[in-house]
Amino acid sequence: MNKGFISGMVLLTLGLVCGILLSVVNYFTAPIITEEENKIKYATLAEFYTLADYDLSEVEGDGAFGTIYVLKEKGTDNIEALVYTVSAQGYSDSQLVQMLIAVNSDLSVEGYKIVAHQETTGFGADIVENNFNVTVIDNLTNFDTVAGVTKTSNAIKECFTLVSQRAVGDLGGGLSE
Amino acid sequence: MNKKENFLKGFIKENPLFVSLLGMCPSLAVTTSLENAIGMTMGVFFVLVLSNLIISLIMSNPKLAVLVKPVRIPVYIVVIATLVTIVEMVMHAFVIDLYRALGVFIPLIVVNCIILGRAEAFASSNKPVDSLIDGVGMALGYGAAIMLISIFREFLGKGTLTIWGDLQLNLTFIFNFLKIEPIAMFIQPVGAFLAFGLILAGITAIANNHKNKLAKEVTNNG
């Protein structure tokens, strides 16, 4: 028989055996991997809500919005809360200020967190916790720009403004009813 | 060569890292902490031992060997890649922190010269039992080498020794006693080359010394 054909058959057989072996291993490890990955992915969300109490789904946002997490009451279609991933230009050119903002269905803000930024060390993420107290999403009047870190605080303000514009539509009458 | 020699040669005489200088890229990259080195050792151990065994089983069967011989390198790579993928999946599922710390260097075990080197140089022409012993010896020798580098780097760079997870030896008191700071450079890439060079120089000096002594003894006796 042709030598090339035999070599091909050897490799084919080996490939099949290895493929079956890998799919068996994958069958057992894949669910565990998904669970572990979700744990890490939702670690920040878990700071705002007890995730086991809700049905969690994801919507891809457009423009400045990244993933939007939708938390529904278990077993129903009522949206209890939305967690927005939103970014805006701060001081750094290479990395936008990226925030997670959790908004309840009554438009109150459950919490917010800077997830990525490259602002000046010592300011950036810190100023949110120290200077802003946003409790209701459609009231941004107590939101002052901080002197010295104008660009950073403007970025944070822009994040909130974008979310406030969008959340009113999403929660007020659009998605939830 | 008896079984004991076969096992021990991987540690000093034919140490894959310090003598053969094989598989240096992942070794330098993951040795930022002792924990990473231990994880890498476990991965390499599993892959090297099993690949040696499987390849030796295939090649010691005369009928199979004739079929496999023309395409042996692809066969080795498929066997090794399958084992590495299994290691990757299992690590991803059960030790995700380590999986993230080792990153791209887990899949790169496939092209680690040590494993392909042992398959071609030893396992393909030796009995399964000998190949198994060779694999265990070589993997442990490699592990000892990268652990030595990582202990050197982590201690000098951070003043700690992370064994596994939260199990960590804090040795910063030594630095406090000497009133100096840990040398952070050693956990950066440049520190890897420096650490490796220093350890290699030390080992070569000891080896040369040993050789000279042996040579002297031979001349004195002769």
Side-chain angles (χ1 to χ4, degrees), chain B residues 1-119:
Chain B
M1 189 162 41
N2 64 26
K3 288 198 166 49
K4 195 180 158 201
E5 275 174 20
N6 185 17
F7 175 70
L8 288 176
K9 72 178 189 300
F11 286 87
I12 295 169
K13 210 173 129 205
E14 290 180 31
N15 189 292
L17 203 55
F18 290 138
V19 179
S20 315
L21 299 179
L22 291 174
M24 279 172 56
C25 174
S27 314
L28 295 184
V30 303
T31 47
T32 50
S33 77
L34 180 56
E35 185 188 19
N36 289 356
I38 293 172
M40 189 71 179
T41 305
M42 294 197 304
V44 169
F45 183 88
F46 177 82
V47 174
L48 184 52
V49 170
L50 280 182
S51 78
N52 257 13
L53 180 66
I54 294 169
I55 288 163
S56 177
L57 280 174
I58 296 174
M59 298 305 279
S60 61
N61 182 327
K63 275 186 197 161
L64 267 179
V66 173
L67 289 175
V68 167
K69 200 116 206 177
V71 284
R72 63 184 194 288
I73 299 291
V75 168
Y76 299 164
I77 288 290
V78 171
V79 170
I80 296 167
T82 309
L83 293 169
V84 170
T85 314
I86 292 173
V87 168
E88 195 186 0
M89 286 188 208
V90 171
M91 271 196 183
H92 197 169
F94 296 106
V95 274
I96 198 159
D97 292 333
L98 186 67
Y99 173 81
R100 292 185 167 223
L102 295 181
V104 74
F105 292 102
I106 307 173
L108 280 181
I109 296 176
V110 176
V111 286
N112 192 322
C113 322
I114 297 166
I115 293 160
L116 191 62
R118 288 331 285 172

Side-chain angles (χ1 to χ4, degrees), chain B residues 176-212:
Chain B
N176 292 340
F177 178 72
L178 296 171
K179 298 211 169 78
I180 50 170
E181 290 286 317
I183 312 153
M185 180 189 75
F186 273 105
I187 49 172
Q188 285 159 0
V190 60
F193 287 98
L194 274 176
F196 187 68
L198 288 171
I199 295 173
L200 197 58
I203 287 176
T204 315
I206 295 169
N208 283 348
N209 202 358
H210 186 68
K211 250 186 224 163
N212 288 344

Side-chain angles (χ1 to χ4, degrees), chain B residues 117-132:
Chain B
R118 288 331 285 172
E120 172 70 5
F122 196 93
S124 62
S125 53
N126 281 284
K127 289 200 190 91
V129 180
D130 291 333
S131 301
L132 188 77

